[in-house]
Amino acid sequence: MDIQNLLNSMTLEEKVGQMFMLAFAGSNPEQAHEMLVERCVGACYISQDNAETPQQAWDLTNALQLMAGSTPKKIPLILGVDQEGAWGVMVPHSCTGPGNMALGAANDLETTLKMYRVIGQELSAVGYNTLLAPCVDVNSNPVNVIVGPRSFGEFHADVAKHSRAAVVGAHAGGVIATAKHYPGHGDTRQDSHRLLPTVDRTLEELEEIDLLPYREAISAGVDIIMTAHILYPKIDPVYPATMSSILLEDILRQKLKFNGLILSDSMNMFAIRQNYEPGEAAVLAVLAGVDMIMLAEEHYDHSGAYLEKQRATIDGVLYGVRSGRIPMARIDQAVSRVLDLKSRSGLFDHKQDGAAVTIVGSDNNRKIEARSAELGVTLVRDAMGLMSKVQTSRLALIQAAPKKAYEILTRTRGIGPNQGRPAFDAFQEEFDRLIPGVVTFTSEEIPAEGALPAGVGAAGLIVVVTEDYPLPGTDFDTITQKQVINRLLAEYPEKLIVVGLRPPYELSDYPGLGTYLTTCSSRVCAATAAARALAGAIPCKGTLPVGLSAT
């Protein structure tokens, strides 16, 4: 593919169109017609909202690529998805794996590579050619509300090694790989889907901690680096990373020697939208060094007016060029990187095989997924040796999360866990299979005051299962869960076991808790693994990927 000749033949509108990754609502590809055919947009962000099953995904990607192929230059599309363990597509048909933090707990690089190869193979089979993962954020802040299980952990050297393995695995699976969220979302307290976070790191701290995984990912050949909408005032006091030439050009390009594609996180996240107009935001990002602008409107803004914002954002860049604010050389540089990535990845020559969809959720892939989850199960504390008594005790099982908490898991319009089945349900099913006769209670049956159900007090051991899910722009109810545990801990500390189907940070809230098991994940495969570990069917081999006391 002669990239230079193709670039020289393109109009300004065609060039600028290639610099955008846009989302659309629903499963009808015609919703993308204006952007792909009239605007020559070069990439689509695809979610569960667009296709729920492997066959639907295959049909969709074929239709979208045919649409792109009908344009004068016939440039194929980058089709990107957030298949990153904690968030997923084609759920429950696909093998999402347990997520990065669980892989960090497993602490086996070959396992990480294999899991990402499975993810890549399943995406490639349906035409999703770009994995918007791995998250290589070093989760150094325990109260981080949006990264959590999406990170490999807190220890930057380990995160770096797993980041490399993930990139290698994704490439082996046949997809373009993305490292995110540059320069690091792990030390934030705020969710950038809601507002603009600030991180008080110096450049020296950033280089020592957060940039190490990027060095490894770049060394492994990562194709794309996605920016974060985060302000680092000690490095750039004016602009967030997405709009900072200091962070993108001076550090990422010059210091880290990254020559691939720089992609923005969604410019419709409120970190950007509350502070900049759509067109101005895109112009500032392009001037700073962003090569491709992503807008995933329907996932963050439920107003339904995302198409208008997409038009305004593209028009803003076009006006920026025509007014002389954006040099044509900057546009050509960005578009060259887009076209080069498409050429190097074989997108111009790719032909899809409809039979390949059968690999999604295949038996072999499920085995790899299950093994990945099992290796991540971690026994953090067992001060009174309760684990050895599980198989011989009368058990009460308590679901700490209230039923109404699960409603939001599939209500985020595509992005997010997309997990219609609560992790607890998978845990209960496997636990009941292995240890019959367990009596189960819901969160609603455990009052904050007054008498507890007789079956709880009569049990020899009480097992409480907690959950948490990283959700864009909203929170899973963990407050009620904490109330349940504190009530039981006050009355039955000597027989209480907590199983966290989530990152283990909650343990700091319960200094008197004697037994705590974590999966570092709320995925179904992790929940099943936790039940097997608690029942004694598998050993707990995981190690904490974050800084908690193990005693």
Side-chain angles (χ1 to χ4, degrees):
M1 169 60 63
D2 190 331
I3 298 300
Q4 191 59 50
N5 276 346
L6 176 57
L7 183 68
N8 292 341
S9 72
M10 295 171 69
T11 65
L12 174 61
E13 289 77 12
E14 288 172 331
K15 290 178 180 179
V16 170
Q18 286 297 305
M19 295 172 63
F20 282 85
M21 176 182 284
L22 303 182
F24 59 94
S27 58
N28 185 352
E30 285 301 311
Q31 291 289 329
H33 185 275
E34 175 186 332
M35 289 297 140
L36 298 188
V37 177
E38 298 175 30
R39 297 278 191 152
C40 298
V41 162
C44 289
Y45 177 94
I46 307 293
S47 75
Q48 187 95 343
D49 191 46
N50 303 123
E52 295 184 359
T53 70
Q55 187 60 52
Q56 288 172 354
W58 191 87
D59 291 341
L60 177 71
T61 57
N62 270 278
L64 293 174
Q65 293 291 13
L66 285 172
M67 210 176 287
S70 71
T71 61
K73 301 301 184 294
K74 304 184 187 304
I75 301 173
L77 297 168
I78 287 173
L79 299 176
V81 296
D82 275 320
Q83 188 79 331
E84 51 174 55
W87 292 357
V89 294
M90 297 186 289
V91 180
H93 309 279
S94 62
C95 293
T96 64
N100 284 357
M101 190 169 282
L103 293 172
N107 202 23
D108 181 80
L109 299 181
E110 187 64 23
T111 296
T112 297
L113 189 154
K114 286 180 179 179
M115 191 64 247
Y116 268 84
R117 183 170 61 206
V118 165
I119 290 171
Q121 288 172 341
E122 294 195 347
L123 297 182
S124 180
V126 300
Y128 293 159
N129 53 43
T130 301
L131 173 62
L132 300 177
C135 293
V136 303
D137 304 297
V138 179
N139 203 65
S140 52
N141 194 325
V143 296
N144 194 317
V145 296
I146 194 59
V147 176
R150 303 165 67 198
S151 163
F152 288 112
E154 179 182 345
F155 310 119
H156 53 278
D158 291 335
V159 172
K161 293 173 185 176
H162 285 282
S163 299
R164 168 183 278 275
V167 171
V168 172
H171 283 162
V175 290
I176 293 166
T178 307
K180 63 183 186 184
H181 307 79
Y182 175 84
H185 210 313
D187 192 31
T188 58
R189 287 176 172 267
Q190 302 90 8
D191 177 1
S192 53
H193 300 92
R194 298 169 173 172
L195 46 77
L196 179 62
T198 297
V199 173
D200 199 37
R201 288 214 198 279
T202 64
L203 178 56
E204 290 73 21
E205 290 170 329
L206 197 70
E207 289 182 327
E208 179 184 354
I209 300 170
D210 301 275
L211 297 187
L212 184 60
Y214 287 97
R215 291 185 185 278
E216 287 296 316
I218 292 168
S219 176
V222 73
D223 309 283
I224 298 173
I225 289 180
M226 183 190 292
T227 68
H229 304 323
I230 299 174
L231 189 66
Y232 286 79
K234 290 184 178 178
I235 300 170
D236 188 332
V238 178
Y239 293 115
T242 298
M243 301 170 179
S244 172
S245 61
I246 297 172
L247 283 160
L248 300 186
E249 289 292 343
D250 297 351
I251 299 176
L252 183 56
R253 292 292 188 201
Q254 300 305 316
K255 277 198 171 187
L256 300 187
K257 307 298 183 185
F258 178 62
N259 297 315
L261 187 74
I262 298 178
L263 170 71
S264 80
D265 206 342
S266 177
M267 299 294 276
N268 197 52
M269 293 162 66
F270 289 146
I272 299 299
R273 284 290 178 254
Q274 288 178 347
N275 297 285
Y276 303 91
E277 290 300 317
E280 177 66 8
V283 169
L284 289 172
V286 170
L287 287 172
V290 170
D291 301 308
M292 181 174 278
I293 302 287
M294 180 169 70
L295 292 98
E297 258 65 20
E298 71 276 16
H299 308 304
Y300 308 118
D301 182 351
H302 291 243
S303 70
Y306 58 90
L307 186 56
E308 287 78 3
K309 291 177 183 174
Q310 290 178 343
R311 292 187 187 114
T313 307
I314 295 174
D315 289 341
V317 174
L318 287 169
Y319 180 76
V321 179
R322 289 169 178 150
S323 66
R325 189 177 175 192
I326 303 176
M328 195 65 213
R330 168 80 269 264
I331 298 297
D332 286 346
Q333 180 188 57
V335 178
S336 292
R337 291 191 181 116
V338 173
L339 298 177
D340 180 64
L341 176 57
K342 291 181 177 184
S343 178
R344 286 189 293 104
S345 303
L347 302 193
F348 283 94
D349 305 314
H350 182 67
K351 299 292 187 294
Q352 284 186 235
D353 177 8
V357 300
T358 57
I359 198 175
V360 180
S362 66
D363 289 344
N364 184 63
N365 287 359
R366 288 295 180 200
K367 288 178 182 177
I368 294 172
E369 179 183 53
R371 182 61 175 164
S372 299
E374 289 176 355
L375 290 173
V377 179
T378 304
L379 181 60
V380 182
R381 183 184 297 167
D382 190 22
M384 293 175 283
L386 300 188
M387 288 288 289
S388 64
K389 302 176 183 179
V390 170
Q391 297 179 63
T392 58
S393 298
R394 183 177 179 182
L395 302 175
L397 175 63
I398 298 174
Q399 181 178 16
K403 295 292 186 183
K404 63 181 180 181
Y406 298 100
E407 294 174 2
I408 59 174
L409 295 188
T410 55
R411 218 175 56 204
T412 49
R413 298 186 69 173
I415 196 171
N418 299 315
Q419 191 165 304
R421 187 187 189 198
F424 176 85
D425 290 358
F427 178 92
Q428 181 186 17
E429 179 181 328
E430 183 68 3
F431 200 54
D432 284 347
R433 186 183 72 82
L434 294 169
I435 303 182
V438 177
V439 181
T440 301
F441 300 90
T442 65
S443 172
E444 291 79 1
E445 294 176 281
I446 308 299
E449 298 177 347
L452 290 168
V456 174
L461 292 177
I462 301 169
V463 178
V464 182
V465 176
T466 63
E467 298 165 76
D468 197 10
Y469 300 80
L471 294 158
T474 187
D475 299 306
F476 191 73
D477 182 357
T478 58
I479 296 174
T480 300
Q481 299 183 64
K482 187 175 179 179
Q483 292 170 348
V484 168
I485 292 175
N486 281 332
R487 175 72 202 278
L488 294 166
L489 192 57
E491 297 202 29
Y492 304 109
E494 75 286 350
K495 58 181 180 180
L496 184 63
I497 297 173
V498 174
V499 177
L501 306 181
R502 49 164 294 164
Y505 297 114
E506 65 174 338
L507 185 55
S508 62
D509 293 329
Y510 314 116
L513 179 64
T515 302
Y516 183 77
L517 185 78
T518 180
T519 58
C520 298
S521 169
S522 55
R523 277 297 177 198
V524 166
C525 59
T528 299
R532 291 176 58 76
L534 187 62
I538 60 171
C540 296
K541 290 189 173 183
T543 57
L544 277 176
V546 296
L548 295 177
S549 172
T551 60

